[in-house]
Amino acid sequence: MKFCSHCAAPVTLRIPEGDNRPRYVCDACHSIHYQNPNIVAGCIPEWQDQILLCQRGIEPRFGLWTLPAGFMENGETALEAAERETHEEARANVRIESLYTVFNLPHINQVYMLFRARLLNLDFGAGNESLDVQLYQENDIPWDDLAFPVIKETLGLYFADRSTGGFRVHVGDIERLPGAPRRYRINMLNH
Amino acid sequence: MKFCSHCAAPVTLRIPEGDNRPRYVCDACHSIHYQNPNIVAGCIPEWQDQILLCQRGIEPRFGLWTLPAGFMENGETALEAAERETHEEARANVRIESLYTVFNLPHINQVYMLFRARLLNLDFGAGNESLDVQLYQENDIPWDDLAFPVIKETLGLYFADRSTGGFRVHVGDIERLPGAPRRYRINMLNH
């Protein structure tokens, strides 16, 4: 951010009076421009003992597999966002059943909210941002070709819960550690 | 939003190519300025059979009672945000125990994430944005003087769950209906 979106004057990054962290502040019209985390909403579409995965057709992680999910929009609920993203990315119709995982990704200012969902029929296919969409049995999940750690963690919890017959909400943090190669620290809040 | 925050040129509100909803678009530098819902994180601080409420010292709802909660910031988790807000508004130290309610408020583009938390000691008091901070027994909760519907719903669920001995995560939507007086539609996702 370089310019004020209200009056076009240059902004400066400083701590406003009464605040405790740097913000983009306009010294001309006194606007403070807050920047806050975004919600990524999505779901695990279930069909009998299979789940639906999408092969990404866009960067990042082109060609890798993921659950349908995307940025929640103003004016909608997280459930509506998850259903909409599932329709956009997998051309699939789902009914959201329950919240399943909430993961904080503080290094990229995102909070994932992933729901369990029932796939309503087999009329699905690749949306604009997908190369392919497929139903997977647990034994066929492409664990080494999943797009994001949050997807791998969610699917790991899902199949573990399914094997014990008890699904519950899981809340945790996935934080990327500094340096290369990519490593992550995962902390779960016990319920 | 009137001007591009990257180049200061005027923005126009239109649907970008390949998108399906209006965005603020800069025709000079081709930036698209997305606007997305914010997360409000907070908690129910528990001390024996009492919970801690804050009396608001700022608008909106000056003088009414609420749970400590506020906008989640970039770079932190929802848990950290809930702990920070509790410290800022109630000068209280808590340990977050579990996610309790997630409420979508689509009419104001907010998602509330409220946690159950353990108050670590009785060293609390009014922060800058509070008039007063008090522990309340269930029978003394000021139901008619609560600041927001999301707080009333969360506390109603909390005491109902507590009376049955079983706390679980609740997810729902609270949407303001058009017109006056203020009325809300509440939909809960069954778990």
Side-chain angles (χ1 to χ4, degrees):
Chain A
M1 179 161 214
K2 294 178 185 168
F3 300 99
C4 176
S5 54
H6 293 166
C7 78
V11 292
T12 53
L13 188 65
R14 64 176 174 81
I15 300 177
E17 200 180 312
D19 203 340
N20 51 29
R21 62 188 68 207
R23 315 280 184 188
Y24 288 105
V25 177
C26 176
D27 293 310
C29 78
H30 305 293
S31 295
I32 302 173
H33 300 281
Y34 297 94
Q35 296 181 324
N36 299 88
N38 285 323
I39 294 172
V40 179
C43 74
I44 307 172
E46 302 171 338
W47 180 265
Q48 298 165 358
D49 65 342
Q50 301 173 87
I51 65 163
L52 197 68
L53 295 180
C54 303
Q55 189 180 27
R56 288 177 64 82
I58 54 170
E59 294 294 347
R61 304 288 188 282
F62 181 95
L64 299 183
W65 292 83
T66 191
L67 292 167
F71 288 115
M72 183 179 170
E73 300 277 4
N74 279 353
E76 69 183 1
T77 69
L79 283 68
E80 290 168 343
E83 288 183 352
R84 176 182 52 73
E85 288 288 342
T86 303
H87 195 262
E88 288 177 6
E89 297 185 355
R91 303 276 180 245
N93 298 301
V94 293
R95 178 178 304 153
I96 300 295
E97 301 267 335
S98 59
L99 182 62
Y100 188 57
T101 55
V102 177
F103 274 110
N104 297 281
L105 280 59
H107 55 294
I108 51 173
N109 305 319
Q110 293 179 359
V111 177
Y112 267 73
M113 293 180 57
L114 297 171
F115 296 83
R116 290 179 60 209
R118 193 154 55 85
L119 190 58
L120 297 179
N121 54 55
L122 292 177
D123 182 20
F124 60 79
N128 289 340
E129 301 184 351
S130 303
L131 294 178
D132 195 6
V133 176
Q134 292 286 344
L135 285 169
Y136 280 95
Q137 306 267 1
E138 179 178 0
N139 286 338
D140 299 324
I141 297 286
W143 293 103
D144 294 334
D145 292 319
L146 294 177
F148 305 108
V150 64
I151 302 301
K152 188 174 181 180
E153 289 304 310
T154 294
L155 292 180
L157 292 164
Y158 176 83
F159 290 114
D161 277 356
R162 196 174 76 171
S163 73
T164 63
F167 289 102
R168 58 196 182 83
V169 182
H170 298 273
V171 180
D173 311 326
I174 301 177
E175 189 160 11
R176 187 175 170 186
L177 300 173
R182 287 175 190 272
R183 291 179 307 132
Y184 296 88
R185 176 171 48 218
I186 298 166
N187 282 319
M188 299 306 295
L189 183 66
N190 288 320
H191 274 86
Chain B
M1 180 160 213
K2 294 177 186 167
F3 301 98
C4 177
S5 54
H6 293 166
C7 79
V11 292
T12 53
L13 189 64
R14 63 176 174 82
I15 300 176
E17 200 179 312
D19 203 341
N20 52 27
R21 62 187 69 206
R23 314 283 183 185
Y24 289 106
V25 178
C26 176
D27 293 309
C29 77
H30 306 293
S31 295
I32 302 173
H33 300 281
Y34 297 93
Q35 296 181 323
N36 299 89
N38 284 323
I39 293 172
V40 179
C43 74
I44 306 172
E46 302 171 336
W47 180 267
Q48 297 165 358
D49 64 343
Q50 301 172 89
I51 65 163
L52 198 68
L53 296 180
C54 303
Q55 189 179 27
R56 288 177 64 82
I58 55 170
E59 294 293 349
R61 305 285 189 283
F62 181 95
L64 299 184
W65 291 83
T66 191
L67 293 167
F71 288 114
M72 182 178 170
E73 301 276 5
N74 279 352
E76 67 184 0
T77 69
L79 283 68
E80 290 168 344
E83 288 182 352
R84 177 183 51 72
E85 289 288 342
T86 303
H87 195 260
E88 289 177 6
E89 298 186 355
R91 302 277 180 245
N93 297 302
V94 293
R95 178 178 304 154
I96 299 294
E97 301 268 333
S98 59
L99 181 61
Y100 187 56
T101 54
V102 177
F103 276 108
N104 297 280
L105 280 58
H107 56 294
I108 50 174
N109 305 317
Q110 292 180 359
V111 177
Y112 267 73
M113 293 181 57
L114 297 171
F115 296 84
R116 290 179 59 209
R118 194 153 55 84
L119 191 59
L120 297 178
N121 55 55
L122 291 178
D123 182 20
F124 60 80
N128 288 339
E129 301 184 351
S130 303
L131 295 178
D132 194 7
V133 177
Q134 292 287 344
L135 286 169
Y136 279 95
Q137 306 267 2
E138 179 178 0
N139 287 337
D140 299 324
I141 296 288
W143 293 104
D144 293 335
D145 291 320
L146 295 178
F148 305 109
V150 64
I151 303 301
K152 187 174 181 182
E153 289 304 310
T154 294
L155 293 180
L157 291 163
Y158 176 82
F159 290 114
D161 277 355
R162 197 174 76 171
S163 72
T164 63
F167 289 102
R168 59 194 181 84
V169 181
H170 299 272
V171 180
D173 312 326
I174 300 178
E175 189 160 12
R176 186 174 171 189
L177 300 173
R182 287 176 190 273
R183 291 178 307 133
Y184 297 88
R185 177 171 49 219
I186 297 166
N187 283 318
M188 300 305 296
L189 183 66
N190 288 320
H191 272 89

